[in-house]
Amino acid sequence: MAGEAIISASKPQTAQMQQLESALEQIGVTRSHKSIIFLVVCGVLFDVFEQNAVGLVGPLLRQHWGLDATDIGFLNTITFIAAAMGRLGSGYCADRFGRRFMLNVNLALFTFGAILCALAPNYAVLAVGRFIVGLGLGGEITTAVTMLAEFCSSKFRGTAVGLINVGGGGLGNMLAPAFALGVFALFPGENAWRWLFGCLVLPAVFIVFYRRFVPETPRYLLSQGRVEEANRVLSMLASGKLANAQYPLHNYITAGAEASAAPVRKTRLADIFSGGYARRTIAVGVASWMTFGAQLSVLTLMPTILVAQGYSITKSFAFTIVMQSGSLLGAIAASVLGYKFPRKRVLTVGAIAACLAGLAFGNLTSSVAMVLVCGALFQFCVLTLNTSIWIYAPELYPTRMRGLGTSFLLALGTVGGALSQLLAGKMFDLHGVAGMFGMIAAMYAIFALAVQFAPETYGKSIEEEADAGTPDLVLQPAQATR
């Protein structure tokens, strides 16, 4: 029967994936892993600098181009819209053409957009440049999350993915103002903002390193039936040396199974809503919308909130920087928790803590000390949750659709962030700080409930748990031929 053919065709691929899992567990964490993580995190760090760029050059654009707050806000909006599009497009292409290929494409887009922004003769060209930057930004972060998850063993992958946000949401948000001040000090004057965009072209150097030293992930190679190349990458990881170096080759995966590997099927968006995937996609998608929506709402409105509480603009910026220290600690905490604790437990407890921290900021910030403590605590909870979502997302889907599934979940967070800011602003206008943070607390309550409907993936094979969501590919028999 046809159903039997489907089952038997999947067995060689499953056996190879089991060999791959055993190889990664045996190899553990080597110098190669650390070098790859370092290169990827450095690229993401500049991504976050770029995300903050419009806010940092906003006053200069208002002064020299006569832009108003709406014009500057639109530049951010178009960047977020493009980032969501870039995430979806990059995820789809990464499943078809490879993670390494898309990492280079996204960085090239990011660099071209930065150059266009630096040379923009008018507002329209600047907006086009921001759109191109957004495509690269959204795509690179999604690809980086998928890539690092696939390089590592089940024990270490949470920490590896979490380190992306240590460099991004943690260090990036803290160092972005310092980076801008350094550029403005070196290149003062009317074109200082152009120099800032120009300096953000520096990540183009990483394209050379990515192409020379960062290999394709062994999981993707194996999913394409490229067993010999997968063995070469595994050998490189085991040796502790980067690509293009000399190292002994080992056959971790049986080369003889290459000819009988299951045929590769193109991924469609509908696949992440098929079978058991629908439940996890909806559950974690809702959670992603809630937490990224809450984070961006607070980041955007925090200076306005502090000014409304009677603090000067200068103090509000200084307070915001202090609060961002909580972001760095939260990203680090998520990396550690991802190594030691189940995903759903971290997400559930973190959501409850974020809910309480939001309520505290909305109702207990009558003094400077309470503003700083509650603000830093809230940022700590938010970055712990956001980083944990990054860790969790690639574990929910098999290799053939991991890029698309992960990108869809993170794109929902981007869209949620863009739309939630409007509702948060309305709540602030109508009900003040307490009303706005009451809404934020409700969003995290929804988050905590939503993640209960998703599976636990901690300590499990990234392939076995992901494939458990789709009985139609392995377990469901096809109709018998008559």
Side-chain angles (χ1 to χ4, degrees):
M1 293 188 298
E4 294 175 349
I6 293 176
I7 296 174
S8 61
S10 68
K11 286 183 178 179
Q13 188 77 351
T14 301
Q16 289 177 333
M17 283 298 181
Q18 290 174 347
Q19 290 178 323
L20 174 60
E21 292 287 351
S22 298
L24 289 172
E25 296 294 340
Q26 175 187 337
I27 292 169
V29 183
T30 69
R31 185 177 178 182
S32 294
H33 287 96
K34 296 173 184 178
S35 299
I36 292 170
I37 291 170
F38 174 76
L39 290 173
V40 172
V41 169
C42 284
V44 172
L45 177 67
F46 278 93
D47 278 0
V48 177
F49 284 1
E50 184 62 81
Q51 287 178 9
N52 286 274
V54 169
L56 296 171
V57 304
L60 295 177
L61 291 175
R62 296 185 69 173
Q63 178 181 351
H64 298 297
W65 276 13
L67 303 183
D68 57 25
T70 302
D71 294 328
I72 295 171
F74 177 75
L75 294 176
N76 263 336
T77 299
I78 198 171
T79 304
F80 278 118
I81 292 173
M85 295 172 62
R87 284 180 172 173
L88 281 177
S90 181
Y92 175 78
C93 292
D95 285 337
R96 292 201 62 186
F97 306 113
R99 299 15 174 158
R100 181 173 178 262
F101 172 78
M102 286 311 301
L103 201 63
N104 287 305
V105 168
N106 291 320
L107 200 51
L109 282 171
F110 168 92
T111 302
F112 176 69
I115 293 174
L116 194 60
C117 290
L119 301 177
N122 53 51
Y123 180 79
V125 175
L126 182 59
V128 171
R130 294 307 300 171
F131 182 84
I132 296 173
V133 164
L135 291 175
L137 287 176
E140 183 175 1
I141 291 176
T142 300
T143 305
V145 168
T146 303
M147 199 170 197
L148 292 189
E150 293 185 347
F151 269 123
C152 302
S153 64
S154 60
K155 188 68 174 177
F156 184 63
R157 65 176 179 252
T159 299
V161 175
L163 288 173
I164 296 175
N165 222 19
V166 172
L171 284 175
N173 284 329
M174 288 185 64
L175 296 179
F179 177 77
L181 289 174
V183 173
F184 294 159
L186 289 173
F187 306 103
E190 182 177 346
N191 292 318
W193 65 272
R194 294 185 185 276
W195 282 106
L196 178 62
F197 284 126
C199 288
L200 289 172
V201 176
L202 290 175
V205 176
F206 285 103
I207 294 179
V208 178
F209 286 98
Y210 288 158
R211 286 180 176 172
R212 284 181 57 84
F213 301 116
V214 179
E216 183 55 82
T217 71
R219 292 185 188 278
Y220 176 79
L221 292 171
L222 187 55
S223 73
Q224 303 297 302
R226 294 152 65 180
V227 177
E228 182 179 347
E229 293 178 66
N231 278 325
R232 189 178 301 118
V233 173
L234 289 170
S235 298
M236 183 212 74
L237 294 175
S239 71
K241 300 177 181 178
L242 289 177
N244 300 322
Q246 297 295 321
Y247 46 82
L249 296 176
H250 299 283
N251 289 328
Y252 291 97
I253 302 167
T254 305
E258 183 171 358
S260 59
V264 179
R265 183 170 66 84
K266 292 181 180 179
T267 303
R268 301 165 300 169
L269 185 61
D271 289 345
I272 64 175
F273 291 98
S274 64
Y277 292 125
R279 179 169 175 170
R280 62 185 66 187
T281 297
I282 294 171
V284 183
V286 168
S288 179
W289 183 295
M290 293 298 114
T291 187
F292 286 101
Q295 179 200 24
L296 292 175
S297 296
V298 173
L299 282 177
T300 301
L301 294 174
M302 184 58 74
T304 303
I305 292 170
L306 294 173
V307 170
Q309 290 184 322
Y311 301 105
S312 67
I313 294 178
T314 302
K315 283 186 176 181
S316 70
F317 280 124
F319 290 173
T320 301
I321 293 174
V322 173
M323 292 178 201
Q324 285 295 343
S325 63
S327 298
L328 175 59
L329 295 176
I332 294 173
S335 297
V336 175
L337 294 173
Y339 186 81
K340 295 185 175 182
F341 295 101
R343 312 297 186 227
K344 290 175 65 174
R345 185 185 305 173
V346 172
L347 293 170
T348 303
V349 174
I352 295 172
C355 183
L356 295 175
L359 291 174
F361 192 96
N363 296 278
L364 302 177
T365 52
S366 56
S367 66
V368 172
M370 289 302 295
V371 167
L372 296 179
V373 170
C374 292
L377 180 60
F378 180 78
Q379 292 294 345
F380 173 86
C381 295
V382 168
L383 261 292
T384 299
L385 291 171
N386 289 5
T387 305
S388 296
I389 286 289
W390 284 19
I391 293 170
Y392 194 31
E395 298 178 343
L396 296 170
Y397 303 96
T399 300
R400 66 178 181 83
M401 57 193 288
R402 183 169 295 122
L404 181 59
T406 300
S407 66
F408 180 81
L409 294 179
L410 299 187
L412 277 181
T414 303
V415 174
L419 298 181
S420 296
Q421 293 179 60
L422 301 176
L423 182 57
K426 190 67 174 180
M427 289 295 294
F428 178 73
D429 290 338
L430 294 176
H431 304 290
V433 177
M436 175 187 155
F437 274 92
M439 184 198 84
I440 298 295
M443 292 174 72
Y444 279 113
I446 295 172
F447 177 107
L449 178 62
V451 296
Q452 306 311 311
F453 294 92
E456 181 55 69
T457 59
Y458 174 72
K460 299 181 181 180
S461 162
I462 197 171
E463 301 301 333
E464 290 177 4
E465 175 53 44
D467 281 328
T470 176
D472 53 316
L473 291 182
V474 177
L475 301 178
Q476 179 180 328
Q479 292 182 353
T481 57
R482 297 180 182 274

